[in-house]
Amino acid sequence: VQLVESGGSVVQAGGSLRLSCATSGFNLADYAVGWFRQAPGNEREGFSCISSRDGQTVYADSVKGRFTVSSDTARNVVYLQMDNLKSEDTAIYHCAVERRPRCFGPAYNGRVYLPMDLFMSSGPGTQVTVSS
């Protein structure tokens, strides 16, 4: 099972980026894939999840309305479209496949529940830097 993120870059505040999470070794339609990010000195934040089986998506309040997660099961890729980026979005972004077909949802207290002990695997991450 492998996941590899790409698409991270330096972008100005208000700009957009699209991240990709290339997956292999499992059937994307059978497992939920989540996104989490971590900035230096900050705790890990799970902020989005998608179930390709039924199109379920979940977002944290911090990204809702700005980020859109989607998947292409034919290409085994999960995408994260990020619009109206803010300086606080600066972090390393990771995707992870969960040992379950659906995401925990809806968001609780504005947060997405992505327990690491339910990850089959996660990617090495891609750096997103938003300059103000």
Side-chain angles (χ1 to χ4, degrees), residues 1-4 21-28 75-77 97 121:
V1 175
Q2 275 196 318
L3 300 94
V4 180
C21 171
T23 72
S24 61
F26 66 97
N27 187 348
L28 184 57
R75 290 184 169 84
N76 294 317
V77 181
V97 56
S121 183

Side-chain angles (χ1 to χ4, degrees), residues 8-29:
S9 183
V10 179
V11 63
Q12 285 193 331
S16 298
L17 280 176
R18 188 176 81 156
L19 304 185
S20 298
C21 171
T23 72
S24 61
F26 66 97
N27 187 348
L28 184 57

Side-chain angles (χ1 to χ4, degrees), residues 47-95:
F47 62 87
S48 185
C49 182
I50 183 168
S51 166
S52 299
R53 173 176 292 185
D54 59 5
Q56 176 204 26
T57 56
V58 187
Y59 298 97
D61 284 356
S62 59
V63 305
K64 199 169 188 178
R66 300 187 299 121
F67 290 11
T68 304
V69 63
S70 61
S71 65
D72 184 337
T73 54
R75 290 184 169 84
N76 294 317
V77 181
V78 176
Y79 300 102
L80 182 69
Q81 177 66 39
M82 306 188 295
D83 298 318
N84 190 22
L85 283 159
K86 305 176 181 179
S87 57
E88 52 262 43
D89 294 319
T90 295
I92 298 175
Y93 283 67
H94 303 261
C95 56

Side-chain angles (χ1 to χ4, degrees), residues 104-119:
F104 288 100
Y108 181 73
N109 284 342
R111 293 175 172 264
V112 172
Y113 183 53
L114 284 178
M116 290 186 69
D117 58 352
L118 286 183
F119 288 175

